[in-house]
Amino acid sequence: MKNILIVEDEEYMLDLLKIHLSDEYTITEARDGQIALDYIENQVFDLVVLDIMLPHVDGWTVCERILQKGNTPIIMLTARSELYDKVKGLELGADDYLIKPFEFEELKARVKALLRRYDHIQKRDESNNQITFLNGRFVIDNESRQLSVNNQVVELTAKEFSLLTLLASHPQRVFTREILLDNIWEMYESRDLRTVDTHVKNIRIKLKKIDKEINLIKTVWGIGYKLNIQEDIK
């Protein structure tokens, strides 16, 4: 069974989450952010359901720590409905976002969709281990799910890595935001086109930290994005 970490300080909500998920998944619970961080340091989880408002350490910090350690999918929960909170969660690298109150059947569907997507990514990687381009300056290693630029590893979230890999697999193609959503995000996840823009922005920021002159992803105005290279990918 897949192992899910639920981080929620409200006892009533935590109990409901366990009731609805424990029939299909192994559940580990954490009632505050610090306990969650302790678990994350010592265990591997297939998915994290993460509340934002937590005692001791907030959900934003927990999210960042999770993604520093790997590409564990994250569904964030919050009672807040402001756009700022949703955008912040996506910018940090969370995969999905639910506003309380929500239907538990919807949560279960989103959990299944995320786990299926990550399983699919892992299977796809087995048949195509590496993509290199621009004279070897850029290397996408599907086995380790890492991007290297000028021999430096660029830490990408799972969605960022999948987005870049899709663009790199078809270097001459312009992808609309709708197509990128359809290929990388599940039907139960956010369908907001700005989600794609946010992930592209994050990739660009990370690349600029290595080389300020890098302009790898080109915006095709009014359409979407394409890989900005002068050579064919090997």
Side-chain angles (χ1 to χ4, degrees), residues 86-120:
K86 184 172 183 178
V87 171
K88 182 174 180 179
L90 295 173
E91 286 180 340
L92 285 175
D95 297 272
D96 209 344
Y97 193 103
L98 275 173
I99 298 172
K100 301 175 184 176
F102 52 81
E103 296 293 334
F104 285 94
E105 288 304 313
E106 180 182 4
L107 172 65
K108 291 176 69 174
R110 295 192 184 208
V111 167
K112 287 182 179 180
L114 267 180
L115 290 172
R116 185 168 62 248
R117 169 63 65 182
Y118 276 70
D119 285 343
H120 174 70

Side-chain angles (χ1 to χ4, degrees), residues 123-214:
K123 291 176 182 177
R124 185 179 64 188
D125 289 347
E126 294 174 0
S127 62
N128 184 19
N129 289 332
Q130 198 172 86
I131 301 173
T132 64
F133 49 101
L134 292 179
N135 294 321
R137 289 181 59 212
F138 294 82
V139 179
I140 296 175
D141 190 321
N142 284 314
E143 186 172 349
S144 62
R145 294 193 60 75
Q146 285 187 337
L147 167 69
S148 297
V149 179
N150 299 337
N151 296 317
Q152 298 183 57
V153 174
V154 182
E155 297 294 341
L156 301 177
T157 68
K159 282 289 193 296
E160 292 165 3
F161 183 87
S162 296
L163 192 157
L164 183 60
T165 300
L166 181 59
L167 294 176
S169 299
H170 305 83
Q172 304 305 318
R173 178 178 175 182
V174 178
F175 287 86
T176 66
R177 293 170 177 83
E178 291 86 352
I179 290 175
L180 292 170
L181 275 174
D182 289 342
N183 278 271
I184 298 171
W185 280 265
E186 286 288 348
M187 62 177 293
Y188 296 107
E189 297 180 77
S190 171
R191 307 306 294 173
D192 189 338
L193 295 180
R194 288 173 296 184
T195 299
V196 176
D197 298 331
T198 296
H199 283 73
V200 170
K201 176 183 175 183
N202 289 344
I203 295 171
R204 286 171 169 167
I205 290 172
K206 292 176 181 180
L207 292 174
K208 293 289 185 183
K209 289 181 179 179
I210 292 180
D211 185 341
K212 293 182 179 180
E213 301 302 317
I214 291 177

